């Protein structure tokens, strides 16, 4: 992974009480625009456009309403949306062609293509001089890389339908494996190999601090544990919204699921619950493409999206919180137990070992490739 960036600033920490007592109403786009206009005019004002690649559907719609349009009002810079399920292959294609159509893109830190691009110098250094002090203090050192900023974390949580467990639902991955006390059809992700392996190891008694690295002996142990639950997986979900819909339809009683999708359903009043204990975290980064046509505007966009008020709006709109911990004081109190940057939830999660994940084995394959091959073989067996 890229080196992290820090600078000396006075630190203002949120207390647990101040976080849990926050009860600010939902932010609106006009509120964000007012809160950021002065700073935008001072340091981020500009002209022209910036091309931002993110995900489609409601994600880009909410990004536009709560981030992109306020950014344009505050700075005068127009945001052009492009979408892709995975940005990395298209970035590689642009580099090979020597023509760059994008300025900013979200990249998944688990994808080998992201590591390859990073090592090849595909991303520009982030200009942290454009950040205000509150933003810089609120975004942890670990989220501020030299050539990228954490856009959001996503977590694979245990989610369940509370209607299926009127006397109380599961509280751990061990409960997920407990068919007797928590009966009902299960769900796991067909492509979510890491989330499933982590869950299996935790259910088999491995402490979260000992899960990584996923060495061969641990993978053996995880797959053996997964053999026990495999007959009870009624359907292997493929897309992020699928496990939530299957829970709502009653086709699942409990399942692994993305935290943001689960949060969105709960906010809509669906009778679902999520368990944060030993949720597997994945990082996704804002990057600025070297060679992009509007790099100066891209730097301003990255600064804007991480500002505290904008970060809070982004979190409420998408369900996936950016890293700025200062946003917690602007979020509704009822939302705090549902997001992964709440310190109480974050302390329970399992973080990956990215350097090990991308390291090469004696046979020349990366650990990522090796585990993916083992996962596919197990699924086919």
């Amino acid at each position: 992974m890229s080196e992290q960036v820090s600078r000396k600033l006075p630190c203002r920490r949120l207390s647990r009480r101040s976080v849990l007592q926050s009860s600010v109403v939902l932010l609106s786009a006009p509120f964000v625009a007012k809160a950021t206009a002065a700073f935008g005019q001072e340091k981020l004002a500009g002209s022209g456009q910036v091309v931002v690649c993110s995900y489609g559907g409601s994600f880009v719609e909410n990004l536009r309403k709560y981030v992109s349009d306020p950014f344009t009002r505050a700075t005068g810079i127009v945001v052009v949306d492009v979408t892709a399920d995975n940005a990395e292959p298209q970035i590689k294609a642009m580099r090979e062609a020597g023509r760059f159509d994008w300025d900013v893109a979200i990249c998944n830190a688990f994808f080998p293509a992201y590591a390859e691009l990073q090592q090849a110098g595909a991303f520009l250094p982030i200009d942290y001089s454009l950040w205000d002090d509150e933003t810089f203090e609120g975004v942890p050192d670990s989220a501020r890389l030299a050539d990228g900023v954490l856009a959001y974390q996503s977590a694979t949580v245990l989610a369940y339908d509370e209607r299926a467990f009127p006397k109380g639902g599961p509280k751990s991955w061990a409960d997920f494996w407990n068919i007797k006390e928590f009966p009902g059809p299960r769900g796991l992700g067909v492509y979510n190999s890491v989330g499933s392996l982590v869950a299996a190891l935790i259910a088999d008694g491995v402490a979260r601090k000992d899960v990584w690295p996923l060495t061969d002996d641990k993978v053996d142990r995880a797959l053996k544990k997964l053999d026990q639950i495999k007959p009870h997986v009624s359907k292997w979900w493929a897309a992020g919204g699928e496990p939530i819909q299957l829970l709502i339809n009653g086709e699942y009683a409990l399942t692994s699921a993305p935290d943001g999708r689960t949060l969105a359903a709960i906010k809509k009043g669906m009778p679902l619950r999520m368990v944060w204990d030993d949720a597997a975290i994945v990082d996704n980064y804002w990057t600025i493409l070297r060679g992009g046509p509007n790099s100066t505007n891209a730097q301003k966009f990255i600064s804007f999206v991480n500002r505290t008020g904008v970060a809070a709006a982004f979190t409420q709109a998408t369900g996936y919180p950016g890293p700025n911990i200062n946003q917690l004081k602007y979020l509704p109190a009822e939302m705090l137990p549902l997001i992964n940057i709440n310190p109480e939830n974050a302390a329970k999660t399992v973080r990956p070992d990215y350097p090990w994940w991308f390291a090469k084995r004696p046979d020349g394959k990366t650990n990522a490739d090796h585990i993916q091959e083992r996962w596919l073989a197990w699924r086919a067996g």
Side-chain angles (χ1 to χ4, degrees):
M1 295 297 292
S2 176
E3 62 181 294
Q4 296 163 357
V5 174
S6 63
R7 70 184 185 191
K8 293 182 178 179
L9 285 173
C11 183
R12 296 191 294 270
R13 296 186 181 276
L14 291 173
S15 69
R16 180 175 180 274
R17 173 173 290 186
S18 68
V19 169
L20 295 180
Q21 288 182 343
S22 68
S23 57
V24 179
V25 297
L26 292 177
L27 293 174
S28 65
F31 175 88
V32 174
K34 290 179 181 178
T36 57
F39 184 80
Q41 291 169 2
E42 178 185 339
K43 292 192 79 171
L44 303 185
S47 61
Q49 66 182 28
V50 60
V51 182
V52 177
C53 177
S54 66
Y55 309 112
S58 62
F59 188 98
V60 71
E61 292 171 6
N62 287 321
L63 183 69
R64 168 149 296 283
K65 181 176 180 180
Y66 292 100
V67 177
S68 300
D69 287 347
F71 173 74
T72 299
R73 288 193 291 270
T75 67
I77 300 168
V78 176
V79 178
V80 177
D81 297 316
V82 294
T83 61
D85 289 338
N86 300 312
E88 295 83 358
Q90 296 193 47
I91 297 172
K92 290 180 69 174
M94 282 187 271
R95 280 178 59 81
E96 291 170 1
R99 175 181 173 180
F100 296 87
D101 301 319
W102 303 348
D103 300 299
V104 175
I106 296 177
C107 293
N108 188 316
F110 253 122
F111 289 179
Y114 168 67
E116 293 171 9
L117 287 166
Q118 191 179 57
Q119 291 167 8
F123 308 121
L124 286 175
I126 302 300
D127 184 359
Y128 290 103
S129 70
L130 294 174
W131 290 35
D132 67 310
D133 287 357
E134 183 185 34
T135 303
F136 201 91
E137 294 166 14
V139 177
D141 289 353
S142 60
R144 287 186 268 106
L145 307 184
D147 59 356
V149 181
L150 188 67
Y152 64 90
Q153 293 177 329
S154 56
T156 300
V157 298
L158 168 53
Y160 65 91
D161 180 352
E162 64 179 354
R163 296 169 300 181
F165 306 105
K167 296 182 180 180
K171 295 180 173 59
S172 67
W173 288 114
D175 289 344
F176 187 89
W177 262 258
N178 189 340
I179 303 299
K180 183 177 181 180
E181 293 188 29
F182 301 98
R186 266 79 169 149
L188 288 172
V190 64
Y191 303 119
N192 190 14
S193 57
V194 171
S196 297
L197 293 170
V198 168
L201 288 171
I202 293 293
D204 204 43
V206 177
R208 68 175 66 106
K209 66 181 180 63
D210 297 325
V211 168
W212 285 88
L214 295 174
T215 52
D216 287 348
D217 59 322
K218 292 179 188 174
V219 175
D220 291 341
R221 182 173 175 177
L223 294 178
K224 185 176 180 180
K225 188 70 174 178
L226 282 161
D227 284 337
Q228 300 173 9
I229 203 68
K230 195 174 186 180
H232 303 280
V233 176
S234 60
K235 180 178 175 63
W236 292 81
W237 56 266
E242 193 175 3
I244 304 305
Q245 191 59 53
L246 292 169
L247 280 172
I248 293 170
N249 293 347
E251 296 179 59
Y252 284 162
L254 61 170
T255 182
S256 63
D259 59 332
R261 299 280 191 161
T262 312
L263 183 154
I266 292 173
K267 284 178 64 179
K268 291 179 181 178
M270 302 301 175
L272 308 182
R273 294 290 180 268
M274 66 171 84
V275 178
W276 278 104
D277 291 62
D278 303 303
I281 287 287
V282 175
D283 296 324
N284 301 272
Y285 286 96
W286 287 113
T287 62
I288 298 176
L289 276 61
R290 189 183 296 276
N294 308 287
S295 298
T296 298
N297 289 344
Q299 296 283 4
K300 294 175 179 179
F301 179 85
I302 295 295
S303 171
F304 185 88
V305 75
N306 283 285
R307 283 183 56 77
T308 302
V310 182
F314 175 88
T315 295
Q316 293 179 76
T318 66
Y320 293 100
N324 190 340
I325 199 74
N326 285 330
Q327 70 177 288
L328 295 177
K329 60 191 174 186
Y330 294 116
L331 294 173
E334 63 271 16
M335 191 173 185
L336 297 179
L338 305 177
I339 58 175
N340 58 49
I341 63 166
N342 180 330
E344 293 188 2
N345 293 337
K348 301 174 184 177
T349 61
V350 179
R351 290 203 54 82
D353 183 341
Y354 291 114
W356 179 88
W357 181 246
F358 293 118
K360 288 191 175 181
R361 299 167 59 87
D363 61 3
K365 296 178 182 178
T366 64
N367 288 312
D369 290 336
H370 175 73
I371 288 178
Q372 182 66 8
E373 289 176 2
R374 294 207 59 188
W375 174 256
L376 292 175
W378 178 81
R379 280 278 297 119

